[in-house]
């Protein structure tokens, strides 16, 4: 428990066995060491238990390097409602951010591994996010806005939220959607081709699900899909969609062939 500011510098990994409580700012620095980890968070599976590495860091948290040091993985859990990740190195491998009671604003980030974000507020960004591995984004009863035109998600992107909270994700290239359980807000995906590796499920009476595929095909054929709002498919190529129940098609422009399969009525708005 630190009543003021915390500064930790190490020439190796920085980890914890308990909980950090800091009233001021937290500066965490890797000095000289190569590919060191800064891991102040629980390990998977997620979401974690309420007390597992439940750090309470009231001030801004900065994770940085000096003297040629580099960071491999970063994990940070912070239960403080004012949680603020002020800075991290631009390039790391895996990044896990768990802010139980606060929004998460992603900085300019290039990950050679995976991204995990669990937020008690909106998930947004201030710069381009590039992820070579998978991305898991859980905003709880809040929205997700990752709409920078230069974002590049290579692995599957899984989206989780609830309630009337919108989600928008943009990818400069093709995007692969992972298993996603989303609320009743609008869903908008912008990419050059859209596919999936797991089902997309909306809450009842959801807003529109709009898929803008650019010149790429839209292939949303997982048999577990359940779109409860109007589905709009916009692409210069082919588009195919499957729904485990009825489906309502919204305004759509398809440059190639359209295939719609549903286990219920197929209608349009």
């Amino acid at each position: 428990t630190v009543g003021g500011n915390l500064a930790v510098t190490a020439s190796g990994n920085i980890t914890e066995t308990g909980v950090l409580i800091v009233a001021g700012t937290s500066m965490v620095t890797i000095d000289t060491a190569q590919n060191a980890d800064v891991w102040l968070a629980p390990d998977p599976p997620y979401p974690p238990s309420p007390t597992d590495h439940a750090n309470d860091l009231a001030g801004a948290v900065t994770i940085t390097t000096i003297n040629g040091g580099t960071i491999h993985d970063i994990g940070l859990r912070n239960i403080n409602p004012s949680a603020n990740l002020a800075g991290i190195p631009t390039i790391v491998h895996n990044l896990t951010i768990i802010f139980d009671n606060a929004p998460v604003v992603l900085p300019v980030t290039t990950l050679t591994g995976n991204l995990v974000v669990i937020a008690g507020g909106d998930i947004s960004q201030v710069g381009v996010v590039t992820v070579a591995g998978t991305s898991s984004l859980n905003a709880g009863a809040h929205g997700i806005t990752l709409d920078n035109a230069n974002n590049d998600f290579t692995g599957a992107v899984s989206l989780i939220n609830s309630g009337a909270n919108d989600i928008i994700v943009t990818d400069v290239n093709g995007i692969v959607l992972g298993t996603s359980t989303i609320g009743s807000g609008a869903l908008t995906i912008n990419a050059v081709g859209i596919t999936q590796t797991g089902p997309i499920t909306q809450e009842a009476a959801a807003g529109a699900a709009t898929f803008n595929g650019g010149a790429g095909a839209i292939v949303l054929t997982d048999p577990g899909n359940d779109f409860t709002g109007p589905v709009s498919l916009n692409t210069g190529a082919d588009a195919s969609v499957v729904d485990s129940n009825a489906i309502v098609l919204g305004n759509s422009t398809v440059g190639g062939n359209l295939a719609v399969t549903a286990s219920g009525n197929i209608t349009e708005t």
Side-chain angles (χ1 to χ4, degrees):
T1 300
V2 179
N5 300 322
L6 172 67
V8 179
T9 302
S11 296
N13 296 334
I14 298 175
T15 58
E16 64 182 0
T17 59
V19 171
L20 300 176
I21 301 174
V22 181
T25 61
S26 299
M27 174 71 74
V28 181
T29 305
I30 298 296
D31 183 357
T32 309
Q34 300 295 300
N35 293 317
D37 294 337
V38 175
W39 200 259
L40 306 176
D43 293 323
Y46 300 127
S49 72
T51 59
D52 192 1
H53 294 265
N55 301 308
D56 188 347
L57 310 173
V61 177
T62 302
I63 299 172
T64 190
T65 62
I66 59 174
N67 298 322
T70 62
I71 296 177
H72 189 254
D73 294 342
I74 293 175
L76 176 65
R77 184 182 188 186
N78 190 355
I79 66 169
N80 193 285
S82 298
N84 174 18
L85 183 60
I88 61 172
T90 302
I91 300 175
V92 297
H93 185 60
N94 296 314
L95 175 62
T96 295
I97 303 173
I98 304 171
F99 285 179
D100 297 63
N101 301 301
V104 171
V105 180
L106 292 171
V108 175
T109 303
T110 298
L111 304 182
T112 58
N114 303 322
L115 172 65
V116 175
V117 179
I118 301 174
D122 292 342
I123 298 173
S124 61
Q125 63 186 139
V126 294
V128 177
V129 175
T130 303
V131 184
T134 60
S135 299
S136 176
L137 306 169
N138 184 343
H142 304 278
I144 299 172
T145 304
L146 299 179
D147 58 353
N148 188 292
N150 292 311
N151 290 337
D152 193 359
F153 301 99
T154 301
V157 179
S158 296
L159 305 167
I160 301 172
N161 82 335
S162 62
N165 297 290
D166 297 344
I167 296 176
I168 179 169
V169 178
T170 297
D171 195 308
V172 69
N173 296 300
I175 194 170
V176 180
L177 298 173
T179 299
S180 298
T181 303
I182 60 180
S184 59
L187 170 66
T188 304
I189 305 295
N190 305 308
V192 185
I194 302 169
T195 59
Q196 65 184 147
T197 59
I200 301 168
T201 305
Q202 289 181 298
E203 288 181 358
T210 302
F211 300 94
N212 299 314
I218 299 173
V219 183
L220 300 173
T221 54
D222 190 288
N225 289 336
D226 189 4
F227 300 104
T228 63
V231 178
S232 293
L233 307 168
N234 301 300
T235 172
D238 296 341
S240 54
V241 62
V242 171
D243 197 303
S244 60
N245 294 293
I247 191 170
V248 178
L249 297 174
N251 292 331
S252 299
T253 301
V254 178
N257 300 318
L258 173 66
V260 180
T261 303
S263 296
N265 296 335
I266 300 174
T267 58
E268 64 181 359
T269 61

